[in-house]
Amino acid sequence: MDDSQIKTYYKGLGFCGFGAGSNTAEVDVKDGKILRIRPMQYDKKYSKEELNAWKIEEKGETFEVPLKSAIPPFSLVYKKRAYSPNRILYPMKREDWDPNGERNPQNRGKSKFVRISWDEATNIIASEIRRIEKEYGLNSILLQGDGHGETKIIHASHGCHTKLFSILGGYPFHTSNTDSWEGWYWGAKHMWGCDSVGEGYTGNLLLGMAKYTKMILFWGCDIETTPWGWGGQLASNYCFYLTKLGIKQVYICPDVNYGCAIHADKWIPVLPNTDSALQLAIMYTWLQEDTWDKDFIASHSVGFDIFKKYVLGEEDGVPKTPKWAESICGVPSRTIKALARKWAKDATSIAHSNGGSMIRSCYSHEPARLEVACLSMQGLGAPGRNQFKFIEWGTFGDPHTNSGPRPAGLAFIDQAYRGTEFVPPESIIPKTLVPKAILGDYSENNPLIWYGATLAGMPREDQFVPYQYPLPGSKEIHMIWTDTPCWTTCWNGGNSMIEALRSEKIQTVVAQHPWLENDCLMADLLLPINTKFEEEDIGNDVYSGTFQMVYHEERCIEPLGESLSDYEAVGLVAKKLGVYEQYTKGNSIEDWIKIGFECTDAKKYITYEQFRENKYFAIPTAEDWQDDPMGFEEFYKDPEAHPLKTPTGKIEFYSETLAKHFPDDKERGPYPKFVPFGESHQESFLHPRSEQFPYLIVGTRRNCNTREDAGYLRQD
């Protein structure tokens, strides 16, 4: 092969969306076709000294940052997505959908599509927007823009159409549920005030665990495959390093997943949705054997005595003994006792990988709260005793959320920069309530009411705020425009969503996407979107655990068919509506690239002209990164000077605010318990229906069959 004909481009191939992904890669192109995708070489333009390449040296072993990206296998074959036979190449219209006649909503997903022009497609969309605005108001047009997508920034989905409607005057938005960590969000947040989106105390724990931890419990997760979309192979490589250090890795999960098969020193199989029983039995053992940190509990927590009575059985007459737990969770009582004793004796941390089945399943708020309880009883934040929620997130910037060595600056390009500012609108609908909202007979006089916006990262107090659909003065949804068409396959209840999409209430469904899949099959109009290989953009990498990266993403190949980017496609509709200048703010793509660069700390080191010439910049590691606090270290040392984000500033075993706002809640009380089944869920071997349905299905990545996902529904 004549390599002189090959041109190399830089692309970020993670899946976070909003451009904040990972897995920076080099894309080799010849004669206008992608040949291969390779790891990016960080030191092509910058020396090891300029990068201040970090390393961890403990117990005679070294973990050194690689000078090339540790991208996962699916990124190496991502070109197959660009050339997929499932690509949508032209604007399409459902053949029996006539905006001026019969719409046949019952045939969505059944009837075929016919090719139309961009002009016709955007004329129809603009006309439908104005018609529905006039007849029902803009709050009758639901914009779906949540979930993961290609890591684009200027051309990204998740915001272009919301930017347009912000200009037009408003819209209802389907809010991003806390689908990766609902247990922590709805449960643990009431104990320690933080959830898993930028608030968690995971700072500098790559060093902290290597230095102090003796045993790590990988609870309900797969450390091999789940992190790939964020941190590439960082987590995997780090776990091999832990083995060299002699740190024991224990996997507590129903299945022998890839991480367990490769790294586990011991596997403790636990039945799905029964982790709470196991946790309670561990704490019961500590109480009986007096192996818990009484001084820490006294100085760093409130409400422990109430919780203690429950564990000992003084409240309900059922001591939470290992023998009691054995019959529920399937873990032998001798194993529970051995684990409890080892945990109390040796500095132990818990690791997760973006959630896992334990934190995403039925009543997951209880194992989340009980995990905080377990960690607290052994001195949360003491050397080697922390929770490592996102082992795959490496260099996020904030010392409290940056599990790896802190960079000297940030490469994070705020999602608001790219001309698609997202300010949560007044009208919202949680993702899992969309079918219910459409199929129900709701009006401003009979609204659907729930608690909490269910937006990841919202403050704890938001969970006490009632929301409703439709808003006073608004009508029901009559049009849906989605740039993330994956509701039917990414969430339990896909059949109900299909039924909702076929409702006569829904007069128009627009989907924009590169591939004909999922909800696209239910659309009336399809807009062909190109892949990131076909666009010029600016990219960043803030999760990989190596370096904070900013790079210029040149177009690798010409757009396939008539595909456009999300930004361009929505821009065509904006032109038809007469708001194109407001949509683009008068900026060209080149202007947006420069604005994006100026958002990062790369500008402190190089000029924009140097950036364009070199095509990327890796922000060096901070000189003093080893001095950063490790996990909850500051809280452990001085809870008064470093309080948590709870009303008391301490760990709240008993939540006065939950007791105040939801005094009659049987499924999320003021302190954590074991909930076998209830009104919301019956997925339990303890429920009588298990005699007819004797199997439980569990996954390490997604298991979103939760009441928590939908917010707390108000029961009147």
Side-chain angles (χ1 to χ4, degrees), residues 61-275:
E61 299 289 346
T62 301
F63 183 72
E64 199 162 3
V65 62
L67 294 180
K68 65 178 181 179
S69 58
I71 61 177
F74 58 62
S75 290
L76 294 173
V77 297
Y78 200 75
K79 71 175 185 178
K80 292 183 177 293
R81 293 291 278 163
Y83 297 120
S84 168
N86 210 32
R87 282 289 300 272
I88 302 172
L89 299 178
Y90 309 99
M92 310 284 280
K93 182 177 76 71
R94 189 161 56 85
E95 62 181 359
D96 57 353
W97 181 80
D98 182 358
N100 299 311
E102 291 295 324
R103 296 179 181 246
N104 296 303
Q106 74 281 359
N107 290 336
R108 290 188 179 118
K110 300 176 183 178
S111 48
K112 296 181 179 180
F113 292 96
V114 294
R115 179 178 172 179
I116 59 176
S117 67
W118 271 106
D119 188 56
E120 182 180 357
T122 51
N123 276 335
I124 293 174
I125 295 172
S127 176
E128 285 294 280
I129 290 171
R130 289 307 188 195
R131 178 186 67 81
I132 289 178
E133 178 184 20
K134 182 178 180 180
E135 293 183 24
Y136 309 107
L138 288 175
N139 276 346
S140 288
I141 303 175
L142 174 67
L143 302 187
Q144 292 183 268
D146 134 272
H148 298 304
E150 289 189 297
T151 50
K152 307 170 184 179
I153 293 184
I154 299 170
H155 300 282
S157 56
H158 310 346
C160 295
H161 61 348
T162 59
K163 169 61 179 177
L164 172 61
F165 274 74
S166 294
I167 296 168
L168 296 178
Y171 58 95
F173 186 71
H174 111 171
T175 54
S176 173
N177 295 83
T178 54
D179 54 341
S180 291
W181 43 79
E182 58 259 22
W184 289 315
Y185 185 83
W186 293 107
K189 197 161 188 169
H190 295 282
M191 284 194 71
W192 59 7
C194 59
D195 62 21
S196 301
V197 189
E199 294 184 68
Y201 293 79
T202 57
N204 213 14
L205 283 179
L206 289 182
L207 175 63
M209 293 212 296
K211 201 175 191 69
Y212 299 114
T213 300
K214 302 295 183 184
M215 180 173 69
I216 301 176
L217 307 178
F218 290 87
W219 209 310
C221 67
D222 179 358
I223 206 63
E224 277 295 316
T225 55
T226 303
W228 283 355
W230 302 92
Q233 299 176 56
L234 165 74
S236 178
N237 293 334
Y238 181 72
C239 287
F240 283 116
Y241 177 60
L242 295 176
T243 298
K244 290 182 179 180
L245 297 178
I247 298 173
K248 298 303 180 184
Q249 300 176 59
V250 177
Y251 275 71
I252 304 175
C253 46
D255 59 330
V256 177
N257 56 54
Y258 284 100
C260 179
I262 293 170
H263 299 292
D265 293 292
K266 183 175 181 60
W267 170 45
I268 299 178
V270 59
L271 292 173
N273 303 343
T274 64
D275 302 88

Side-chain angles (χ1 to χ4, degrees), residues 311-327:
V311 176
L312 295 176
E314 295 174 13
E315 176 202 304
D316 58 2
V318 182
K320 310 308 179 291
T321 66
K323 202 65 181 175
W324 164 84
E326 177 183 75
S327 62

Side-chain angles (χ1 to χ4, degrees), residues 403-576:
S403 58
R406 175 172 49 88
L410 293 176
F412 199 81
I413 301 173
D414 190 276
Q415 70 185 73
Y417 119 79
R418 55 185 161 90
T420 57
E421 294 96 330
F422 175 66
V423 178
E426 184 182 10
S427 180
I428 61 172
I429 305 174
K431 179 189 296 182
T432 48
L433 290 184
V434 171
K436 186 180 182 70
I438 294 173
L439 295 172
D441 185 20
Y442 296 110
S443 66
E444 61 177 314
N445 297 320
N446 179 40
L448 173 64
I449 298 177
W450 67 93
Y451 284 87
T454 75
L455 277 167
M458 290 290 280
R460 181 187 56 84
E461 293 78 10
D462 177 67
Q463 297 180 26
F464 308 131
V465 177
Y467 292 83
Q468 74 172 61
Y469 161 84
L471 288 177
S474 296
K475 304 296 183 183
E476 290 183 283
I477 296 168
H478 293 290
M479 177 178 174
I480 297 174
W481 186 350
T482 175
D483 66 9
T484 51
C486 66
W487 205 110
T488 54
T489 52
C490 292
W491 293 84
N492 286 354
N495 289 333
S496 64
M497 186 60 177
I498 290 173
E499 183 183 355
L501 289 170
R502 288 177 176 160
S503 168
E504 291 186 358
K505 295 179 186 177
I506 306 303
Q507 300 170 6
T508 306
V509 179
V510 178
Q512 56 192 70
H513 199 53
W515 304 283
L516 185 60
E517 60 187 10
N518 306 329
D519 304 358
C520 288
L521 300 171
M522 307 296 295
D524 301 317
L525 290 167
L526 292 173
L527 303 183
I529 303 302
N530 48 34
T531 66
K532 66 186 295 114
F533 297 114
E534 301 153 67
E535 303 165 351
E536 182 184 15
D537 206 341
I538 185 171
N540 63 345
D541 187 343
V542 297
Y543 295 131
S544 68
T546 49
F547 299 98
Q548 291 253 337
M549 295 289 302
V550 187
Y551 39 88
H552 175 218
E553 295 192 296
E554 297 175 279
R555 175 179 284 177
C556 301
I557 59 175
E558 291 301 308
L560 272 63
E562 294 180 3
S563 62
L564 299 174
S565 71
D566 290 274
Y567 179 77
E568 294 166 333
V570 176
L572 290 180
V573 178
K575 285 183 179 179
K576 299 292 175 69

